[in-house]
Amino acid sequence: MQQRSPNAILAATIAAAMLVVANVSVLNVALPELSVELGASQAEGQWMIDVYAVVLASLLLPIGAIGDKFGRRKILLIGLAILAVANVVTMFLDTPMQLIIARGFSGLGAAFVFPATLSTITATLPEERRSRGVAMWTASVAMGGIVGVLVSGALIENFWWGSLFLTMAIASVVVLGICYLAVPTSSDPDEANLDPIGAVLSAVGLGGLVLGIIEGPVEGWTSPIALGGLDNGALAFAGFVAWELRTSRPLLDVRLFRRQGTRAGSFSVFIQFTGMFGMFFLVVFYLSVVRGFGPLDTGLA
């Protein structure tokens, strides 16, 4: 493993984590204007935001394992490059479906970046600094969401909607340069479990549930697409748990959730992010449509 300053490693990985989360929230303030400009339906508008997080979450475990096996720094830099290219391409699109597809590619880049940031901290920082490093990383994730809302409000107030993606592309290139200089090479191939069956089941489970939740309010909760997504998602998740309990090299050892601390910590993070990003999505429409706030005032509020 290359020797790097712990402060530089922490700063670089925190910047990359904030960038990933800012890419989630940056569309929230811009969504009302973007939906009008592109003629997007309610479901299409929601998918513009959610497809990024769906792809990110679906691929988080398998790409994290790939980084552990083949090198976290390499995976981190690839992800930042994908983020930069995807954001540049998004500026020139003019239909909702094109933008949804491009945001999916941005989510792919984020899936390369996000797990590599935390695993780099735990693998490369001195032992006495790891707990504080993880705590700072966790705080930066929340700050990234707030930064994304503020930046998008300021840009939409003064420029066209494509400026959001131009800014995110420039930020991706800058962070890529910082990580190239500051992040050391690290890997743990003996502990990396690629588990392709588990990866497919987790992706199908998450994608199905999110599909059902997004399409349910639009198509009806008893519609084939909503019921099919929810049912298939639940079945895939049940299959994922059964497979992970059976395989000798699980992608995620679900037995960890027998520990009270793991269950409580995971549940608290789930509630925190559900509340935070649900608020970002709903309050933006209330402030902009009902109260008549401009983009910058909406972001600040």
Side-chain angles (χ1 to χ4, degrees):
M1 184 180 70
Q2 301 165 316
Q3 294 299 315
R4 294 287 193 276
S5 163
N7 290 334
I9 295 170
L10 193 55
T13 51
I14 283 177
M18 288 183 67
L19 177 67
V20 167
V21 182
N23 266 277
V24 178
S25 64
V26 73
L27 272 191
N28 283 275
V29 173
L31 188 59
E33 179 173 331
L34 193 56
S35 296
V36 172
E37 288 283 338
L38 301 181
S41 66
Q42 176 186 331
E44 287 172 333
Q46 197 162 352
W47 272 111
M48 289 179 193
I49 292 177
D50 289 341
V51 69
Y52 177 94
V54 170
V55 175
L56 166 60
S58 299
L59 299 177
L60 201 63
L61 289 174
I63 294 181
I66 291 172
D68 290 340
K69 187 172 184 64
F70 298 107
R72 302 178 182 101
R73 180 176 182 269
K74 184 187 302 182
I75 292 297
L76 175 61
L77 298 179
I78 290 173
L80 290 167
I82 293 173
L83 266 179
V85 172
N87 276 302
V88 169
V89 170
T90 307
M91 290 191 300
F92 302 102
L93 305 180
D94 55 9
T95 69
M97 185 53 63
Q98 290 175 347
L99 194 140
I100 289 169
I101 293 171
R103 290 291 290 170
F105 277 103
S106 292
L108 173 64
F112 276 77
V113 173
F114 204 55
T117 58
L118 183 58
S119 58
T120 296
I121 289 173
T122 58
T124 62
L125 287 188
E127 187 173 353
E128 66 274 9
R129 298 192 58 174
R130 287 176 193 166
S131 295
R132 179 171 293 185
V134 171
M136 293 176 67
W137 179 90
T138 304
S140 74
V141 170
M143 284 301 299
I146 296 170
V147 168
V149 170
L150 293 174
V151 168
S152 63
L155 290 172
I156 289 295
E157 186 84 18
N158 296 285
F159 305 101
W160 99 113
W161 61 264
S163 61
L164 299 176
F165 303 106
L166 176 60
T167 301
M168 289 295 105
I170 293 172
S172 299
V173 172
V174 171
V175 173
L176 189 154
I178 293 171
C179 290
Y180 179 82
L181 296 173
V183 174
T185 299
S186 66
S187 62
D188 195 3
D190 293 335
E191 297 297 324
N193 301 331
L194 298 181
D195 186 15
I197 294 177
V200 171
L201 288 171
S202 65
V204 172
L206 182 65
L209 289 177
V210 174
L211 174 65
I213 291 170
I214 290 177
E215 295 295 338
V218 180
E219 300 293 335
W221 292 105
T222 58
S223 65
I225 189 171
L227 283 178
L230 294 171
D231 290 346
N232 289 326
L235 287 173
F237 265 130
F240 173 76
V241 172
W243 172 257
E244 297 302 282
L245 289 171
R246 177 183 176 183
T247 183
S248 59
R249 305 270 298 179
L251 185 66
L252 172 65
D253 188 352
V254 294
R255 297 175 185 85
L256 292 171
F257 293 96
R258 292 173 180 171
R259 302 177 183 175
Q260 184 176 356
T262 302
R263 292 198 306 272
S266 299
F267 183 71
S268 67
V269 171
F270 169 74
I271 293 297
Q272 174 189 346
F273 278 85
T274 300
M276 182 169 68
F277 285 98
M279 180 196 71
F280 285 160
F281 184 79
L282 295 174
V283 172
V284 162
F285 281 95
Y286 171 74
L287 293 174
S288 61
V289 177
V290 179
R291 299 298 300 273
F293 282 22
L296 181 56
D297 288 337
T298 298
L300 292 171

